[in-house]
Amino acid sequence: MGYIVFTLFVAVVLFIALGFSKKTGKLEWKANKKQFLAILSVFCLVLGMIVTVPTGHTGILTTFGRVEEMTLEAGVHFKLPYQNVIVMDNRTQKATLDLSCFSSDIQEVPVVYSINYQINKENAQNIYKSVGVDYYNVVMVPRIQEAVKSVIANYTAENLIGSREVLSQEITKILTAELEAYNIIVVNTSIEDLDFSDAFTNAVEEKQVAEQQKLKAKIEQDQLNIEAEAKAEREIIAANAEAEVTKIQAEVAQYAGEREAEKNRKLADALTPELIDYYYANAWNGELPQIVGSDTVLPILDTLGEEEEKTEE
């Protein structure tokens, strides 16, 4: 602010000084067009002291080439005429690199790698002091190449095919630690493409097809084994069930026989001679038998002849 006051003071002095002129040997002061040059110089000086930092950028202030320990946010700022402002982009930026790497089994692997990054705007002056505005080519590119190639070299070409996400995580971890020292923030990274030779790709496809066929055959064999085991188990269960049924039937028959025998025994014990005679008496129809047997031979009674004789009489 003192410099601005001094500049205005000088402009006023010039304005007054330019009004003096010598005419007829005498020094006279009179307003003239030259005095407006002093006013114009002040206007140009003021315009030179105004600087605009665009949105998404950070201003780095230098005084006679020395970087100040402050940064300018987006907007309009005043600076001294002998100061300079370098504008650096602090938005998230994307860079894509085409790299040629080698796997652990010496297979060439072309890689398309992309990274999203941004500078730490609070410490942007340190990036400018240590690296400059071309920090991407000076710092980032060599470290990206080294990180990607070193990680790829830990895997065989075959393992790389299904490990893209793991590779990105490992590379991101390395770059985050290394670029943080330069106040560069790694937002995210990705392996956009991994390419292999046609011969290698065909070999991998053939191997995968063979493994799928082997797995299919194993599954089918396992299914047959399961079905055979299930059938054998069913037969065993059926045989055991049939044996159990036979055993139960035998036990039931034995129990029924024992009950019948017990019933007959109890019935035999209950039959007395008197009860037998009683049943005989109840069952008799009142007719005498025609022949009665005994221990000795009995004469045959001609009862029919006697009846005929009685009839004739």
Side-chain angles (χ1 to χ4, degrees), residues 283-299:
W284 185 43
N285 58 4
E287 294 181 359
L288 293 174
Q290 299 295 323
I291 300 174
V292 178
S294 64
D295 294 338
T296 60
V297 178
L298 297 176

Side-chain angles (χ1 to χ4, degrees), residues 14-311:
L14 288 175
F15 178 81
I16 296 173
L18 290 174
F20 287 100
S21 62
K22 261 188 180 182
K23 289 184 178 180
T24 64
K26 294 182 180 180
L27 187 63
E28 297 180 358
W29 188 91
K30 184 180 180 181
N32 56 66
K33 295 180 180 179
K34 293 180 181 179
Q35 292 173 307
F36 290 99
L37 294 176
I39 298 175
L40 183 61
S41 64
V42 172
F43 180 74
C44 293
L45 179 64
V46 172
L47 288 181
M49 297 170 63
I50 299 174
V51 64
T52 301
V53 178
T55 301
H57 293 72
T58 299
I60 310 300
L61 185 65
T62 63
T63 303
F64 294 119
R66 181 177 61 84
V67 178
E68 299 291 340
E69 294 298 328
M70 59 174 292
T71 58
L72 303 179
E73 296 288 339
V76 178
H77 302 272
F78 289 94
K79 67 177 185 66
L80 298 177
Y82 51 81
Q83 290 181 318
N84 190 26
V85 175
I86 295 91
V87 177
M88 298 184 69
D89 195 337
N90 58 34
R91 296 171 296 182
T92 299
Q93 303 177 69
K94 179 180 179 180
T96 302
L97 291 82
D98 295 327
L99 305 173
S100 181
C101 307
F102 287 89
S103 62
S104 61
D105 52 353
I106 319 301
Q107 287 285 342
E108 185 176 7
V109 185
V111 178
V112 178
Y113 185 78
S114 65
I115 179 172
N116 292 332
Y117 64 95
Q118 63 182 157
I119 65 172
N120 184 351
K121 63 181 182 179
E122 286 78 11
N123 297 316
Q125 72 277 10
N126 295 329
I127 301 175
Y128 181 75
K129 283 194 297 184
S130 60
V131 182
V133 294
D134 195 21
Y135 58 88
Y136 172 74
N137 291 316
V138 174
V139 172
M140 295 183 62
V141 172
R143 281 157 181 78
I144 293 173
Q145 291 176 343
E146 181 181 358
V148 174
K149 291 182 179 181
S150 63
V151 171
I152 294 292
N154 293 329
Y155 293 82
T156 64
E158 185 177 353
N159 291 335
L160 288 173
I161 297 176
S163 305
R164 183 175 298 184
E165 184 64 27
V166 176
L167 294 174
S168 291
Q169 293 176 358
E170 293 184 11
I171 296 171
T172 301
K173 184 177 180 181
I174 294 173
L175 291 177
T176 299
E178 292 187 353
L179 296 180
E180 185 179 5
Y182 295 92
N183 295 296
I184 301 172
I185 301 171
V186 177
V187 179
N188 56 59
T189 68
S190 65
I191 297 177
E192 296 186 2
D193 188 29
L194 285 172
D195 197 10
F196 301 92
S197 65
D198 294 338
F200 177 78
T201 303
N202 294 334
V204 171
E205 290 178 353
E206 291 175 357
K207 181 178 179 180
Q208 290 179 342
V209 170
E211 290 179 350
Q212 291 295 327
Q213 291 177 346
K214 180 180 178 181
L215 180 60
K216 180 181 178 181
K218 184 178 182 302
I219 292 174
E220 292 176 350
Q221 184 60 45
D222 291 343
Q223 184 65 30
L224 293 175
N225 293 338
I226 292 172
E227 292 177 356
E229 291 176 358
K231 182 179 179 181
E233 289 180 359
R234 288 196 299 270
E235 291 176 352
I236 293 173
I237 293 172
N240 292 337
E242 185 177 355
E244 189 67 22
V245 169
T246 301
K247 179 182 177 182
I248 293 172
Q249 289 176 346
E251 291 176 351
V252 170
Q254 180 181 358
Y255 178 71
E258 292 175 353
R259 287 193 62 187
E260 185 66 23
E262 182 66 17
K263 177 181 176 183
N264 292 335
R265 185 185 64 78
K266 290 182 178 181
L267 182 60
D269 292 343
L271 290 177
T272 61
E274 292 78 6
L275 183 59
I276 294 173
D277 291 341
Y278 173 76
Y279 282 125
Y280 276 144
N282 286 335
W284 185 43
N285 58 4
E287 294 181 359
L288 293 174
Q290 299 295 323
I291 300 174
V292 178
S294 64
D295 294 338
T296 60
V297 178
L298 297 176
I300 299 175
L301 298 178
D302 188 4
T303 57
L304 181 59
E306 292 179 355
E307 290 181 358
E308 289 179 353
E309 289 180 354
K310 292 178 178 181
T311 304

